[in-house]
Amino acid sequence: RAAALPLTLKAATRIFVVVKALFRKMSNSDVEETSGHLLKHHLSTWQGCGDGKGFPEEEMFNKVLNPLVKEWPNMNFKNANELVMGHIIENDSKAGLRPPALLPGCVRANACRQIWWEPSTVKVGIVTCGGLCPGLNSIIRGVTNCLWRDYGVRDIFGMPAGYNGLSNPEKFPPIKLTPEVVAEIHMKGGSMLKAARGGFDAEKILDELHKLGVNMVFLVGGDGTQFAGNLLYEAALKRGQPISIIGIPKSIDNDVVMFDKTFGFDSAVAEASEVLRNGWVEATSCEKGVGIVKLMGRDAGFVVMCASLGSDQVDLALIPEVEVKLEDILAHVDKVIDRQGHMVIAVAEGAGQSFVATGEKDATGHTIYGDIGTFMRDQVNAHLKPKGGRSFYIDPSYIIRSSPVRAVDHIFCSRLAIDAVHTGMRGYTGVCVGPIHNIIVMLPSKLIASGKKRVNVHRSAWQQCVQACGMPHSLSGMAAKD
């Protein structure tokens, strides 16, 4: 082991030199926003910092002693300049697929000895936006408890109905939050603040926050929520209204870019795995039975992929990222039925839209998807009934999204909530918190709202799913490499 140590140090040094060189190269490139653009996201330097490249010197500007230092003197406090490197694999076979925006490294979102805000001056608003997702109440609870117990903040308000509550608090009165109020909310699904869409008006929201004296806001929602959060940050920057705006991304579909995963996803996969087993029970209790389960995933198939692996009873996983032909699906159905007498199909709601496209858009401009689940049910029935078989169709979407959070997800929510509070108290704004290599970091909200993460069919996770399901090349998306 001692003999191997110099090689390890040498390798580490080489990685550092390469990453540093790439960062210098990238600084002169066309990358608009990176994890290293944090000067404009700290309240000490957000005004007049040019393009915002670089990391703030927290040790210079954060003059308030964290109350946790007195309460827990032996607690492990992070260095303010600790970075998690975005690219960690040497001789990476997929280096070209890694996001260049993470090359500078990501600042850890954790407790530091010195903070920006004097806790007695902090007044907080918390909102949950968009649709329901397991873990919303866990986030509300975690943020409230950390603010109250660790920092002594007493003015904590839940703003009902998402951005509607921020822009119109008279219609949607704020709810005073205390540890007693949130003590048991994580035992239930949904959001005690009534998650909702719409209502965003940056100028009106900033006016209302100023009237209420709120100077720290936690935005819990998906990429659309964080896109709006970035607009709110930019409006606050323009008018010079000092406010910490911290995003906590959510997505059952796990389609938020940059971060490893989002809260709610693990709970959704666990629930979906159970439903797939229900589909298997139905299929195996009938001659030539096919259980078809439609799961969430408008644009990304992560739930279908992971639930198929989790249940280990799926014979065909259909995801939005893979275009398939109906004749290939039916041919695979015949082969599986001939081999084992039953079959289970997991299909994402956004899969196979070439079969069911509506050509319509909703009021927000999003495409209205056709129902691929009922389409698959009808096609399989038409194909199998003359042969003595049939399908059993299950759509558990609203059951899953309204389910209570699972234990592993609740732990993750608690980590996110606590580190979101630490990030806000350190004086950051216009950022989101989430895991990179399973370490909670902060990234500019603009990065999080820059697109959607999708299953890469040439990576090992999808390949494992294909192999576990016994899918043919024609349905795998890997028949020909892009």
Side-chain angles (χ1 to χ4, degrees), residues 140-353:
I140 297 167
R141 184 178 188 269
V143 169
T144 300
N145 285 340
C146 184
L147 286 164
W148 187 284
R149 294 171 176 168
D150 294 344
Y151 288 98
V153 176
R154 294 296 182 261
D155 292 322
I156 310 169
F157 295 92
M159 316 300 285
Y163 282 123
N164 299 284
L166 286 178
S167 60
N168 194 349
E170 291 184 359
K171 181 177 180 181
F172 303 97
I175 300 171
K176 176 79 172 178
L177 299 178
T178 68
E180 291 73 28
V181 171
V182 302
E184 299 177 358
I185 62 173
H186 64 300
M187 305 298 287
K188 300 180 289 186
S191 167
M192 70 162 290
L193 299 179
K194 294 179 171 50
R197 306 182 192 277
F200 182 78
D201 183 325
E203 297 300 329
K204 190 173 182 182
I205 288 173
L206 289 176
D207 289 341
E208 294 297 337
L209 292 176
H210 180 71
K211 291 177 187 177
L212 293 170
V214 171
N215 51 17
M216 190 175 294
V217 177
F218 295 93
L219 306 176
V220 188
D223 59 327
T225 299
Q226 307 312 331
F227 177 83
N230 180 65
L231 296 179
L232 186 65
Y233 151 74
E234 290 180 346
L237 174 65
K238 185 176 181 179
R239 65 162 65 180
Q241 182 173 335
I243 181 171
S244 283
I245 301 169
I246 311 298
I248 306 176
K250 76 166 176 67
S251 171
I252 283 183
D253 295 351
N254 197 39
D255 58 359
V256 171
V257 295
M258 304 299 170
F259 290 138
D260 299 343
K261 68 175 181 178
T262 47
F263 77 86
F265 174 67
D266 284 340
S267 295
V269 169
E271 294 283 347
S273 298
E274 295 298 327
V275 177
L276 285 170
R277 287 174 179 147
N278 296 141
W280 174 83
V281 169
E282 291 285 359
T284 55
S285 300
C286 173
E287 186 72 21
K288 298 180 180 179
V290 177
I292 301 173
V293 179
K294 186 176 79 170
L295 299 173
M296 288 154 294
R298 277 182 55 86
D299 303 296
F302 291 102
V303 173
V304 163
M305 178 179 72
C306 293
S308 296
L309 289 169
S311 67
D312 214 11
Q313 295 292 347
V314 174
D315 303 291
L316 174 59
L318 297 175
I319 61 175
E321 294 83 350
V322 177
E323 288 288 337
V324 295
K325 296 178 180 178
L326 183 58
E327 55 264 35
D328 292 333
I329 294 175
L330 297 178
H332 183 52
V333 170
D334 287 336
K335 287 182 180 179
V336 174
I337 293 291
D338 289 343
R339 184 178 72 247
Q340 62 188 31
H342 64 273
M343 183 180 186
V344 176
I345 300 174
V347 55
E349 61 182 308
Q353 286 303 302

Side-chain angles (χ1 to χ4, degrees), residues 5-38:
L5 184 59
L7 293 176
T8 302
L9 292 174
K10 184 178 180 181
T13 302
R14 186 163 63 250
I15 293 171
F16 175 76
V17 170
V18 170
V19 169
K20 192 173 181 181
L22 285 169
F23 181 32
R24 283 199 299 268
K25 180 179 179 182
M26 188 183 63
S27 296
N28 299 317
S29 71
D30 295 328
V31 177
E32 183 179 346
E33 189 94 16
T34 75
S35 58
H37 285 67
L38 281 186

